[in-house]
């Protein structure tokens, strides 16, 4: 039985018209944010197992910047519709879809086909705004099983920040040895993943140490629940400070965003048999020749994190709902201001997430 | 090398004299609280791997009442020194002990030999105040490896409440499938284990439902963080209310203190493949003939809980410290008022734990 | 893009014709095996996310007998196509299916929508041959994501035995505390689930104890790798024998097929903090009033098992393939002999599984 | 109560005399195997919580060679009694020891104080034959809780091979994500750890791929159960061969003994989200600058392994016993031939373990 068989251009049950044409951003070239341009496209009908979503808000990640400027190492292509993170509203439901109805508020999972369990080459290859076309578009069809429900207490702007940054932090802290109340967690900096890592760790009963080069940002980290903060400009040997704070034991989990540039220090800051979750390479290159030996002598565990599965996204939403965690939104831009939004991200002055409002309703 | 070789009767480093004689309670007969009597005993020297502890505070459990009144089904004997839960101060350290020094604040693990992993017949047989002599005594020697450090922010009175009730709740919620942020947890009533279960669940990011027959106690549960409460006198079908609250899903974990009298309802309140942690039998007997079939059709997991290991006690203290959780102490009695303390427990008017102050220092 | 858009009645790539009409069994009434009758039906075209499967072999479970005779407590209805377990060949592939191609050898998961994680009320409600129409039919369409690939080394007859019995045993032994090499496992009897439990446990490095009322069946259990066997007719106190065999420790896991009739003995045979996996109620009713208290004092874990997820099915197939485990097939019947096959199951003379050959190719 | 209070020099219950003097090897200097010398020492009485063990057999590890030749990076000192691995017989039991009796056959855990859970700086610092005096001695006292029982079916020679090499392999395969039947495991070479890894993986139901530069050694690996072998002299791109064997999926676990020299290839051979267990650095230095990025893009997990806990040792012995696994002993030398034994190890011609028989009884 068909749940909603409205063609594009007609009006679904809740009265919001689905137009036949709509606008979307695309990147004709990948050598700079200035390429970001708007084009008109034909709004598609969903396949039998898809739903059509009206996008309300999109949030930016550092990955989006590297794609637009050509430094991203993963899959991408010219004329790409950019961005991976959105929250929106179901407006048309495919014939065989049981799970969703018109009006449902949803996010799409970053890797569309990564439904549960570990990532695979096949599921890694379904990343929005990279392998697949992205979400900086007024309408987009998604496979029904790639979506998660937006918790009631969140706005579309807030929810749009979850798919990449929050899920990466959640996956880091809920790996083979999930975070446990009383654990010590170190988050590096105050970017999107780190702030979410802080919030998730606090809500899970952990002790959190946050680092940053800015006292102002560290104040914000404290307001979000960080037990300790370290300004690494003032204390470059932050790994020693971590050992002092933890009484010589070291931390159980590190959200490692610096990569080679901070990995050596992280290996000194982590406890024996503790976890370093590598999620990015913001600190640039550095000598890592010592890393394997240190890993061995510390019995440490270095783990790469590639976002997460839809099941983890649902689990994360349950935690967020239980503690009514609100994502930290730095600034909201209008659809027409996408280039400004990207440039604000580039400036690194933000704390938390940058959002583009796509729909005005 | 000897760490502290003071004989009983001499004065250790921190100046507190260790007397040669001290007082302790014992139960010459096991047919009523009125038997509780004080006797003098020779303070022992610790063996090579023991420490002598000056007991500061003792807390009572329902088990202590059943032992004193003769209804306890586990091991016990006449002339038993009662009680399992204490916090105290190390005053003499055995020759081969590396871990402790005079002045350290400690709790003893309920099952003295249960250091880590699952309980065994051998370790189950080392329960304080039952299999072994208890802790309602001014001094007692303990094996060095049966002790845990008291978190700095807790008083002796607060810390004395942890060994049995808190660890039981912690073990329940950190079993083979440990509690996860976002889980739904149901605690039955507002006795010691249930209140600790509530506090641990809240600190771990869970949604908590508390039940009680008293609105006043439910108010207290809300102040401690319960998301929902149910007065089972007003709503005897509390399992249906649980299903409504959870949107028809049921709860992930139940701290089951009622036993046969509530097990059937718990099986209706738990989600499919959820956990019922059986820790007591307060609700009396009832027909459980339907329980195995319900367990099967619900794919539920019914698990018996016998306190926990020293390692779990240490893990629990880490969680308590991270969130500065304060045990709920209902009332503190003097050493001489032990019978009154037992009677207060019997009256079931308390919320949280009843403590006996053993030492005045 | 359409993968295979052949209408029923045409000839797919590999040359096997898909007829427009085919035969299937159904149960006009549910009061006896004699009702089993054959009818002709229109072979359906698969939906966009389905595949059409030509069924080659079907295996019987005790559940099928209880459904046919009217004693099954779960969902069922008159005119039901019976049976849940089949192995077959993909003959037509729906338009949106990426995963399968014509000629692939597949089994369907027992609970069609139980893809991964714990069972839910929704997924429990998609059981083949009960909630949904069954597989004793020459052709049937299945959702693409409900299927698993048949390991190359297995025949269709062998593979048809896996969906219910083998997966139940696998789920039992791979629950929250998965079987570990060196564990002791007790399997009750030599029915389908128990024999698979034995084979899985042996392949996983466990010590296995098998019980039966027949020395001949115990001989077979030994040939399959059981380390110890107990004839419970000769030794009715088999739980004491288990304690002797295990040096007083008890077993880690019990595959409990007897239900109330054996649960008390199982609680005596299991080690402290060990697992009893309740999968059936073959031993009839008995007094279980003591079960909750025993569960508590043993710190035991009693868990209901409802088959398993598609992901577990795939994991199980990996284990079977690594060790080239062959299911024990007791007897193969022709499609026309379905009633005889059911009666053979009823006689309880079999060891292992009873199979009906549906297709002759 | 004293269990055995025999002074050294007297005769315990089972009639084996404990001499007052005995022989042991020591390393006056750490610049070569030629330094290994024998000295006489006073056999100590065990402390209250120790037992005195008569050493029957000692096995060598690569670590012993690096200590004797001065290239070991961990703690060591001149005049060290070398070696970490022994099996022997309890001959005197300390006053407070409950667990052991005279005549018990035991191994000592490599890290004496690592009883359970993760390794810590404190427990890492109790390694035999490095931090602490070693076991190439006719008698040695051990803390009672540092010992494990030798499985009945093993000889002293066989059992002496377990503490370091077997436990390292077991810890690798039983980490946060324990090996599961059906997993793919790659073992590099045919040294002690790799051969044990192969045997443990096979007994656990895994698919095993073994690599070596010698066809003869690969033949031996096959006899021990390896499903596939790769001669990396003939196929230097062994990581590509691994991908072919596993159908492009890669292996779940790699026992990484090569270190920097093979880590890059291991990252290509492991599946996405798979485990690389770093246990040594036999393949020498190499460029690892690419390792962190590869770890990220593969979502791989690189884990350092430092032997294991006593609890893991006991778990391992249960697995070995269930499947009657016999360690591969390459050659047994007499006590007087210790230097020859070391040189045989240096020659790298062995498969499996080299043993020194210490006692002739």
């Amino acid at each position: 039985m068909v749940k909603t068989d409205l063609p594009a251009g007609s009006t679904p049950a809740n009265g919001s018209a689905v137009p036949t044409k709509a606008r979307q951003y695309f990147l004709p070239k990948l050598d700079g944010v200035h390429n970001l341009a708007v084009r008109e496209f034909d709004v598609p009908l969903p396949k039998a197992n898809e739903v059509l979503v009206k996008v309300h808000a999109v949030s930016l990640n550092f990955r989006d910047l590297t794609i637009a400027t050509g430094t991203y190492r993963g899959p991408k292509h010219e004329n790409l519709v950019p961005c991976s993170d959105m929250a929106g509203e179901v407006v048309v439901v495919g014939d065989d879809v049981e799970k969703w109805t018109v009006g449902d508020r949803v996010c799409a999972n970053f890797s569309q086909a990564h439904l549960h369990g570990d990532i695979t080459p096949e599921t890694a290859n379904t990343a929005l705004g990279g392998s697949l076309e992205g979400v900086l578009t007024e309408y987009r069809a998604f496979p029904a099983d790639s979506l998660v429900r937006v918790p009631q207490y969140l706005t579309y702007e807030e929810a749009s920040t979850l798919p990449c940054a929050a899920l990466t932090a959640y996956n880091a802290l809920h790996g083979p040895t999930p975070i446990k109340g009383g654990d010590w967690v170190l988050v590096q900096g105050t970017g999107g993943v780190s702030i979410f890592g802080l919030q998730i760790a606090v809500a899970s009963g952990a002790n959190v140490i946050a680092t940053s080069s800015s006292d102002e940002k560290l104040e914000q980290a404290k307001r979000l629940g960080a037990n300790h903060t370290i300004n690494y400009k003032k204390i470059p040997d932050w790994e020693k400070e971590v050992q002092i704070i933890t009484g010589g034991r070291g931390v159980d989990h590190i959200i490692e965003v610096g990569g080679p540039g901070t990995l050596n220090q992280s290996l000194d800051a982590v406890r024996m048999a503790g976890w370093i979750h590598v999620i990015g390479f913001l600190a640039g290159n550095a000598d890592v020749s010592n890393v394997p030996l240190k890993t061995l002598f510390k019995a440490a565990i270095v783990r790469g994190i590639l976002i997460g599965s839809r099941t983890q996204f649902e689990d994360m939403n349950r935690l967020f709902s239980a503690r009514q965690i609100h994502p930290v939104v730095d600034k909201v831009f209008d659809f027409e201001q996408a280039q400004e939004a990207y440039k604000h991200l580039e400036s690194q002055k933000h704390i938390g997430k940058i959002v583009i409002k796509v729909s005005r309703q």
Side-chain angles (χ1 to χ4, degrees), chain A:
Chain A
M1 201 200 65
V2 177
K3 243 66 46 26
T4 311
D5 57 353
L6 297 176
S10 62
T11 305
N14 64 351
S16 67
V18 178
T20 50
K21 300 274 184 187
R23 296 176 303 160
Q24 66 184 192
Y25 275 94
F26 73 114
L27 284 163
K29 287 193 177 179
L30 299 173
D31 63 358
V33 167
H34 63 277
N35 291 302
L36 267 173
V38 174
R39 68 180 171 204
E40 205 180 57
F41 72 106
D42 295 331
V43 176
L45 271 184
K47 289 190 196 173
N49 277 272
E50 291 184 339
V51 299
L52 183 69
V53 172
K54 177 179 185 177
V55 177
H56 280 255
V58 165
S59 86
L60 297 184
N61 293 293
F62 186 70
R63 167 180 177 265
D64 299 319
L65 195 61
T66 61
I67 289 177
T69 55
T71 60
Y72 184 62
R73 306 204 203 188
K76 73 239 162 187
H77 60 270
E78 289 190 353
N79 292 317
L80 183 76
V81 177
C83 297
S84 59
D85 293 12
M86 72 93 217
E89 177 191 6
V90 173
V91 288
V92 187
V93 177
D95 285 4
D96 296 342
V97 174
E98 306 275 348
K99 196 177 174 181
W100 303 109
T101 54
V102 169
D104 283 347
R105 305 193 321 146
V106 293
C107 284
N109 199 47
F110 181 92
S111 297
Q112 289 280 285
H114 187 193
L115 305 184
H116 60 92
D118 289 333
I119 199 162
T120 63
E122 293 76 30
T123 55
N125 236 351
T126 60
L128 291 169
S131 302
L132 306 184
E133 299 300 324
V135 300
L136 195 49
T137 178
E138 291 178 325
Y139 290 86
R140 195 188 189 289
F142 297 95
D145 61 6
S146 75
L147 301 173
V148 304
R149 194 173 299 280
V150 169
Q152 266 191 317
Y153 75 100
L154 292 179
T155 64
Y156 282 120
E157 285 76 22
E158 290 173 323
S160 76
T161 68
L162 300 176
C164 179
L167 190 53
T168 297
Y170 186 84
N171 185 1
L173 295 175
H174 283 85
T177 302
I179 187 176
K180 191 156 109 166
D183 277 355
W184 286 89
V185 174
L186 175 81
V187 298
Q188 295 177 346
T190 54
V193 177
S194 297
I195 289 289
F196 278 122
L198 190 166
Q199 292 178 296
I200 291 168
V202 167
S204 305
N207 290 290
V208 182
I209 305 173
T211 68
S212 174
S213 60
S214 146
D215 283 341
E216 192 196 331
K217 290 181 175 177
L218 290 175
E219 271 314 304
Q220 167 79 334
K222 272 201 175 158
R223 279 193 296 277
L224 291 168
N227 305 55
H228 299 270
T229 59
I230 304 173
N231 186 322
Y232 62 79
K233 266 216 177 127
K234 299 179 182 167
I235 308 179
D237 291 352
W238 55 265
E239 73 280 10
K240 289 179 189 155
E241 186 71 9
V242 168
Q243 289 293 346
I244 292 166
I245 291 170
T246 59
R249 182 179 173 277
V251 296
D252 300 273
H253 292 278
I254 296 180
I255 306 276
E256 170 68 59
V257 300
T262 48
L263 203 42
N264 260 295
Q265 285 173 283
S266 288
L267 278 162
D268 288 331
V270 80
R271 75 160 167 93
M272 284 193 86
W275 292 77
I276 298 173
H277 305 280
V278 179
I279 68 108
F281 289 85
L282 298 181
N285 281 321
D287 180 17
V288 295
S289 57
N290 209 23
V291 161
L293 193 68
K294 261 191 178 174
T295 302
L296 174 57
F297 277 116
K298 207 75 188 266
I301 308 178
V302 179
R303 175 182 174 229
I305 305 291
L306 293 177
I307 330 290
S309 69
R310 194 206 70 199
T311 300
Q312 286 179 306
F313 200 159
E314 291 164 339
D315 287 349
M316 178 178 75
N317 283 354
R318 295 175 70 210
L319 168 60
F320 272 63
S321 299
R323 287 288 157 262
Q324 304 272 308
I325 299 174
H326 285 277
V328 178
V329 174
D330 182 81
K331 199 169 174 186
V332 180
F333 291 83
D334 284 338
F335 185 69
E336 290 74 19
Q337 298 174 298
Q339 289 197 13
E340 285 91 326
Y342 271 72
K343 282 171 191 162
H344 185 58
L345 175 63
E346 207 166 18
S347 75
Q348 297 207 25
K349 286 181 189 146
H350 60 292
I351 303 179
K353 301 291 296 176
I354 297 162
V355 174
I356 298 170
K357 208 175 164 69
V358 176
S359 161
R360 272 178 202 127
Q361 296 182 312

